[in-house]
Amino acid sequence: MLALASLSGASDADWARAGAAHADLALLGGIALDADARAAARDLVARGRDEFLPTDPLAFVDAQLAALDDAPISAGMNVRSATRDPIREAAAVCADHGAVLEINAHCRQDELCAVGCGETLLRDTDRLVDYVAAAHDAGATVSVKVRAEVEGVDLPATARAIADAGADAIHVDAMDSEPVVADVVAAAPDLFCLANNGVRDRATAWEYLAYGADGVSVGRPSDDPDVLRRVARAVADWERRRGDGERVDIDGEVPG
Ligand SMILES: Cc1cc2nc3c(=O)[nH]c(=O)nc-3n(C[C@H](O)[C@H](O)[C@H](O)COP(=O)(O)O)c2cc1C
């Protein structure tokens, strides 16, 4: 599985269609859902960052996913919210389109963290679990995007907690700590694990797959067909060899 990872202000339905020749899943957004998250997004725009700031975020989610209903790529929506109820509403919209609802517990910008969005959710497991349960109850396939190297956060414990709350997937930005993927997979083998950060070619994709990831995602070069083609080939090759029961060598190492 190769996914396209959200880039705020850029990851819309057109972006997803452009990557559909290579990727299996496009995670659109991120989109700010509630008043506090939207105020933070406006502050980010004021300092030059790209953000989606439609008048009606739920209508935006619906329209973007509807534009992909017949596309040859699965879709999801990455969402930020300081409160739970908009998560439930967005999840219901995603469920209507058979799309993934991805809760953003990842972004680290000060503006987002100040209102309790993004990676602050990693330090507030009770609230994160509440969001997951609400999205699950609304009928959506639920993913949580997380980041490694957040001080005081035990990512495998977070993975276990969200799995117990009804999450289906965890999308791990491993930063410079690639082996954390193996720890997350060991703690929550029932979650689909998508590994992210620096996936550009066979070596970087296979490293995450060897740690047990079910798939990888590409963010910044998600509009570069050469990178997507390279990674897609690497993933397909990995899946074929594993399917054939072959052991896969990475730089002389044989993963378990
Ligand atoms: C400009 C920009 C915007 C991003 N916006 C989001 C976002 O809205 N939600 C999210 O979960 N991650 C966001 N990310 C993180 C990416 O999805 C990805 O996790 C990160 O860039 C690392 O992957 P890469 O090395 O393939 O780029 C953003 C990254 C960049 C550079």
Side-chain angles (χ1 to χ4, degrees):
M1 141 83 74
L2 168 58
L4 309 176
S6 308
L7 300 172
S8 52
S11 298
D12 60 8
D14 290 341
W15 164 87
R17 277 193 185 269
H22 308 292
D24 308 290
L25 168 69
L27 293 159
L28 280 60
I31 176 83
L33 295 178
D34 70 349
D36 282 354
R38 284 167 62 77
R42 276 192 290 274
D43 290 344
L44 286 169
V45 170
R47 67 169 171 93
R49 285 187 62 107
D50 286 334
E51 285 288 323
F52 294 115
L53 266 168
T55 316
D56 181 342
L58 283 182
F60 173 87
V61 172
D62 191 31
Q64 291 295 315
L65 294 177
L68 293 171
D69 278 344
D70 66 347
I73 187 166
S74 299
M77 187 65 71
N78 178 283
V79 300
R80 313 169 191 160
S81 183
T83 50
R84 183 198 52 197
D85 288 352
I87 298 274
R88 186 200 311 277
E89 291 165 353
V93 175
C94 288
D96 282 346
H97 292 282
V100 176
L101 183 282
E102 183 167 87
I103 298 168
N104 180 338
H106 167 275
C107 284
R108 57 183 167 183
Q109 288 79 17
D110 291 343
E111 294 88 340
L112 289 167
C113 291
V115 297
C117 291
E119 71 172 33
T120 54
L121 278 168
L122 296 175
R123 295 203 183 85
D124 189 351
T125 312
D126 289 348
R127 195 158 54 91
L128 178 57
V129 156
D130 198 29
Y131 284 17
V132 169
H136 173 77
D137 291 347
T141 299
V142 184
S143 170
V144 180
K145 175 93 173 273
V146 302
R147 171 196 298 285
E149 300 179 4
V150 179
E151 213 183 314
V153 171
D154 177 353
L155 220 43
T158 304
R160 193 58 256 149
I162 64 167
D164 291 342
D168 301 282
I170 187 163
H171 187 178
V172 183
D173 179 344
M175 304 291 285
D176 291 321
S177 304
E178 293 85 353
V180 78
V181 167
D183 301 333
V184 165
V185 170
D190 41 342
L191 290 178
F192 188 93
C193 179
L194 201 49
N196 166 255
N197 202 306
V199 176
R200 306 290 181 260
D201 54 18
R202 175 169 301 244
T204 46
W206 279 23
E207 181 177 12
Y208 286 124
L209 295 168
Y211 283 127
D214 298 290
V216 293
S217 73
V218 173
R220 285 162 288 185
S222 53
D223 61 352
D224 182 336
D226 292 335
V227 172
L228 295 184
R229 191 176 302 112
R230 222 164 39 224
V231 175
R233 279 198 190 129
V235 170
D237 204 18
W238 177 275
E239 289 171 353
R240 184 182 55 73
R241 292 185 191 204
R242 291 303 278 232
D244 290 347
E246 257 182 64
R247 299 203 309 175
V248 184
D249 269 306
I250 301 177
D251 296 337
E253 303 268 330
V254 182

